[in-house]
Structures are given as C-alpha cells and as structure tokens.
Amino acid sequence: MKEKEKSTPKAAPENDEKLEINKSLFQVNKDLRKQREAELEAQQREAERRYAEKEKQKREAYEKQLQDEKIELMRLKQGIVEESESTIHEEKEEEVKLSFWKKIGNFFYHNKWWLGLGVFFVALGGYLAYDLLTKPNPDMVILMLCDNDAVGNSAYLEEYFTEFGEDSNGNGKVLVSVYYIPYSDDDYQNYIKGVTNKLTNFLGNEESVVIIGNKKTSDELLEPEESFVDLSELYPDDTHISGKYFYYLKDTDFADKIGVSKADIPDDMYLALRRPRGLINASQEDMQETYDKDFPTFDRIIHDLSK
C-alpha cells in the first residue's frame, strides 16, 4: 500500500502542548539521572581526596625523615658529633592480624559502594535475562492506547483476539498479545506508569499495526490521515465504521466477548489499522511485513464483530 504524499501540516496547538508535556517528562527523567550521577561523582571525588591527603601526609613524613637523616650524617662526617644524637627510625604501622572473617568484613566495609553497584547490575542483568527467556513470543501485538482499566485488564481480552490469530512465528502456538498503555489526561500518572517511554518505543517500531484507541489517541498521538488505513474502502458497507479510519466498538458485542460491562465501552473507543510507513526505528518495508502478517487476523475480528 503506497503512502500518500502530502505537505507537512502545521502543528496544532494541542500537539504543541503535548510536545511540551513529553519534553517536561523527559526532562524530569534526565534531571533525576543527572542528580544521581552527580552524587556518585561527588562521592568518588571525596574518596579520591581523602586518599590523596593520606598519601601526601605519608610522603611528607618520609621526606622529613630522609632530610633529618641526611643532616645527621653530615654532622657525623664533619666531626661535630661522634655518634648520632638520635636514631631516626622509619615508623612502621603495627601490623594488625585479623581473623579470616574479620578480613572478609573489612573488605566488604571498604568496598561497599562498588559491591553494591556490582550486585545491582548483576541482579538487573539476571532479571532481564530471565524476562527475555520466559517472555511469551506473540504471533501478533495489538496496542491499546487509551485509559480504560476495565478493558485493558480484562482476563479475556487477549483470549478473544487469539481466537482469530495465526501461528506466524512457527512455535506451534497461537498468541495475540495486547500491550495496554493507559494514556490519560493525568500527566503525573502517565509519568509514574512510564507511559511516555512506552509510547516512544512502541510507536517508533513496526511490532504492531492494530490499535485500540479513543478520541484522545487520534487527537494527540496518531494523526488519522497520516497514520491510519481508510477502513471505509476495505469495508464499504460496515455501519460501525465512521470517519473513514475508525471501527467503533460501542454498538458491537465486544463487551460480551471480553467479559466486561457494555458501560465499559465508551462511544469513542475504536479499532484502527496503522498505515505502513517509515518510522524512527523501522523502515516502511518492515512495517509492511507486519501489516501483511496481521491483516488477516484483523479482518477476521472485524467480520466477527459485525455479524
């Protein structure tokens, strides 16, 4: 499917406001990271300063000792004194013998910061490896980009879509996953739930072309004329399609199929199909491949809901 050529539209005020919101959220993340880095750098500088001060004191004491011994030797050679009036000894710190367990405790005490960081990164690496190995490999991904916990957390949501899926990855199982990203008007909740980062990631790659959205989704995240396929051309006689790009779920039996109340399906909730085009982290060819793979499942879902 060829992408329509058109001039770049002027940014709407709402888009400007969204960019400012996203910018502020990214700035908070950046400031927190910089603050933590500054704290670690300050701690490192303080440790280095103390070490340098201690080494300086040792060096000055040793240099003074050498100077005193040199003067004493000159006095002896000149016959000023017959023997050394004072015996200068290199002061050695008394070696403290520690038990095995005290040596271990001493090691952990002096290296607690580095050990703590090491343990953190090892734990993080282990978690990421476990998550990667145990994470299901879905045949298809649907993005739900609206704030609706009843639908997004429904135990039957993925089960319903999976009924129409295909084993595209060849692992002998069919799985359609719904990634619920509760994009709302509450900027604080968006930040706490990592909504901005998830949107940047998933809307910038080709992993999904099927969208569950609402008016806020199409007003602020995805410009319909640029981002969505014209469903009215694919399903010209379907009364659930309005505005060319949206298949509205309100007057279907979608609520019954996923086990929620009909009141949980608002008037503006819809299904849409993303248009294959070049993205930040994917080419148009990559997205076209996902579109060709997922469209048959989307088509079966539309026909089921329109019965």
Side-chain angles (χ1 to χ4, degrees), residues 33-258:
R33 184 170 64 255
K34 285 186 176 180
Q35 180 181 352
R36 181 57 182 160
E37 291 175 352
E39 291 175 355
L40 291 175
E41 290 178 359
Q43 293 169 0
Q44 181 66 20
R45 287 196 299 271
E46 177 63 18
E48 292 174 352
R49 186 193 66 77
R50 292 181 181 178
Y51 177 79
E53 182 66 24
K54 185 176 180 181
E55 291 299 311
K56 179 182 178 182
Q57 293 174 358
K58 287 183 179 180
R59 185 172 61 256
E60 290 176 348
Y62 180 68
E63 290 175 352
K64 184 178 184 302
Q65 176 187 336
L66 290 178
Q67 184 66 22
D68 291 344
E69 290 178 350
K70 183 177 181 181
I71 293 173
E72 189 76 8
L73 180 61
M74 292 177 63
R75 294 176 67 189
L76 286 170
K77 287 183 178 180
Q78 294 173 0
I80 297 176
V81 294
E82 294 183 355
E83 60 182 23
S84 178
E85 294 178 351
S86 62
T87 303
I88 303 174
H89 300 282
E90 181 182 358
E91 295 184 1
K92 296 183 178 180
E93 295 182 1
E94 183 178 355
E95 184 178 355
V96 179
K97 294 184 178 180
L98 300 176
S99 67
F100 174 74
W101 293 111
K102 286 186 177 180
K103 288 181 180 179
I104 294 178
N106 189 54
F107 172 79
F108 278 99
Y109 175 78
H110 289 289
N111 297 277
K112 53 182 177 291
W113 281 105
W114 297 112
L115 290 172
L117 288 173
V119 169
F120 170 76
F121 285 114
V122 168
L124 179 62
Y127 170 78
L128 293 176
Y130 174 81
D131 184 64
L132 180 63
L133 293 174
T134 59
K135 184 178 180 179
N137 183 21
D139 300 286
M140 175 179 172
V141 172
I142 296 175
L143 296 181
M144 180 172 174
L145 309 178
C146 54
D147 188 19
N148 189 317
D149 288 341
V151 175
N153 296 324
S154 168
Y156 303 102
L157 182 63
E158 290 185 345
E159 181 178 316
Y160 169 67
F161 290 128
T162 298
E163 292 179 14
F164 307 99
E166 299 177 351
D167 181 18
S168 59
N169 57 24
N171 65 356
K173 299 179 181 179
V174 176
L175 174 62
V176 175
S177 293
V178 178
Y179 292 172
Y180 175 38
I181 305 177
Y183 181 61
S184 70
D185 293 321
D186 191 330
D187 297 331
Y188 178 74
Q189 287 299 317
N190 286 340
Y191 172 72
I192 292 298
K193 297 175 182 179
V195 169
T196 301
N197 290 335
K198 292 177 182 178
L199 288 173
T200 302
N201 179 40
F202 289 112
L203 292 182
N205 66 45
E206 80 290 356
E207 192 170 0
S208 175
V209 295
V210 179
I211 300 293
I212 300 175
N214 61 10
K215 187 176 186 299
K216 185 176 178 64
T217 308
S218 51
D219 283 349
E220 301 181 9
L221 296 179
L222 296 168
E223 173 63 34
E225 292 184 358
E226 292 183 355
S227 301
F228 294 146
V229 172
D230 186 346
L231 297 182
S232 65
E233 292 183 356
L234 298 176
Y235 310 100
D237 299 324
D238 199 316
T239 58
H240 300 292
I241 295 174
S242 180
K244 295 174 37 174
Y245 308 102
F246 311 121
Y247 182 94
Y248 286 100
L249 298 168
K250 178 66 175 178
D251 295 325
T252 69
D253 57 354
F254 182 65
D256 295 333
K257 292 178 182 296
I258 66 170

Side-chain angles (χ1 to χ4, degrees), residues 12-24 187 220:
E14 293 86 353
N15 289 339
D16 292 339
E17 293 176 3
K18 174 182 176 295
L19 289 174
E20 290 299 325
I21 291 172
N22 287 343
K23 180 178 179 183
S24 64
D187 297 331
E220 301 181 9

Side-chain angles (χ1 to χ4, degrees), residues 253-271:
D253 57 354
F254 182 65
D256 295 333
K257 292 178 182 296
I258 66 170
V260 300
S261 169
K262 289 186 178 297
D264 293 324
I265 309 298
D267 293 339
D268 63 344
M269 179 174 280
Y270 59 75
L271 284 173

